[in-house]
Amino acid sequence: MNLATIKDIQSKQAYPSVTITLPTYRTSPDNDKDPIRLKNLVSEAVARLEEEFGKRETADIAAAIHRLADEVDHEHNLDGLVIFASAEYSESFKLPFRVPERVSIEDNFVTRDLVYAMNRSPLYLLTVLSEHGSRLFVGRKDLLNEVHAYGFPFSLANTVASASPSQDISHVRDQIVADNMREIGDALAEAQKQIPAPIVVVGVDRNIGHFREGARNSDEVMLYIHSGHNEESEHQLAQHIWPQVKEALSQEREKVFADLEAAKSNHRFVDSLNEVWQAAIDGRAEMLVVEEDSSLAAEVSEDGRQLTLLPEGFTASERTYEDIVDEMIEKVLAAGGQVKFVDNGRLAAQQAEHGVVAVTRY
């Protein structure tokens, strides 16, 4: 699952939409209890559907939930499982990150936990430069998965340089490599459209030099690692580069606070709950910043522009939300904005009313 998939799921609107999330385990004996825990969540979801909407009216959704749960192969679980089910859409995903154990029934699918997990353990695009085969990987922490798309792997192994008597053959070779690096840069730009993640480039000094000269997006690279790791296995490569990538990602995350200060100076910063909500629904939120455990039950006014916080045990209706923060996240992403998560309490200095603030586009 990537951010493009999440955005597609967020676009699906139907009431009721059921989201089941479950933290799972990869190995025995920890994963022995996963089927029981999933069965309990399925029972909870179906019972809530039948109580609120009627057994006959929700029979198809309940059947889809049971089918998806029965299809899960718990011998090959990852770190999390999510099941989405509505009258129009049903699907399950195994996830390489932890999610909470819960059932949500809303007018759309709840994806906040997925977005948070992807930001907490963010993806990065890793390119290993080599004239014998430049490779692309999607990384999450010290795990790498090679991608055979967007033209990757790029190879010059069968390219023969030829020059006229007036040309220097070494210059011709350098130009071929520079052209190759420009193609790799363009391919990375295409990959980022589907996987919006920072770029890490690994290679020997010569190839990185050619990439900096040839790739149009070379200045957008988060980290250059000068090393010849191109022949290593995925596991070896990940172990070598992860400490440097981790530090670079940490520095990127801290930049959000500088962005907030700059937004204040430019009068593009909002911190009251209703202002943040209005920026989100109007498509004006360029960046939403959320404390990781911020969760607010709220009712939306008839005109859709004001929020009233609700106590525990509130009576659900079409204008109430178990977590209005999730709704804000979905609307910001749908409008092309960014969502950044920070540690609990980090927004106190920003006078955040409820652990959420926004930077507006204007």
Side-chain angles (χ1 to χ4, degrees), residues 122-129 135-139 141 144 152 184 188 192 197-203 208 211 218 220-226 237 241-242 244-246 248-249 252:
L123 297 173
Y124 56 95
L125 293 171
L126 173 70
T127 303
V128 182
L129 302 177
R135 297 181 291 168
L136 175 66
F137 300 87
V138 175
K141 293 188 176 181
L144 296 175
F152 287 95
I184 291 172
L188 281 170
Q192 274 192 309
I199 296 171
V200 178
V201 173
V202 176
I208 286 181
F211 183 87
S218 61
E220 299 172 16
V221 172
M222 178 183 72
L223 174 67
Y224 286 98
I225 298 177
H226 294 257
L237 178 62
I241 60 94
W242 172 238
Q244 294 180 67
V245 174
K246 181 180 180 181
L249 288 170
E252 286 290 309

Side-chain angles (χ1 to χ4, degrees), residues 34-48:
D34 287 348
I36 299 173
R37 293 163 56 232
L38 177 58
K39 182 179 179 180
N40 291 339
L41 290 179
V42 168
S43 296
E44 177 189 341
V46 172
R48 287 174 57 183

Side-chain angles (χ1 to χ4, degrees), residues 158-177:
N158 298 320
T159 302
V160 178
S162 59
S164 66
S166 62
Q167 291 179 304
D168 186 331
I169 190 65
S170 64
H171 289 167
V172 173
R173 291 197 189 98
D174 285 346
Q175 185 59 53
I176 290 173
V177 174

Side-chain angles (χ1 to χ4, degrees), residues 255-267 269 349-350 359:
K255 288 180 182 179
V256 68
F257 296 102
D259 293 338
L260 293 180
E261 293 302 321
K264 286 182 181 179
S265 300
N266 295 324
H267 306 290
F269 174 86
Q350 313 295 335
V359 174

Side-chain angles (χ1 to χ4, degrees), residues 198-218:
I199 296 171
V200 178
V201 173
V202 176
V204 297
D205 292 349
R206 177 174 178 272
N207 285 333
I208 286 181
H210 282 302
F211 183 87
R212 285 183 177 275
E213 293 173 5
R216 285 182 275 260
N217 52 347
S218 61

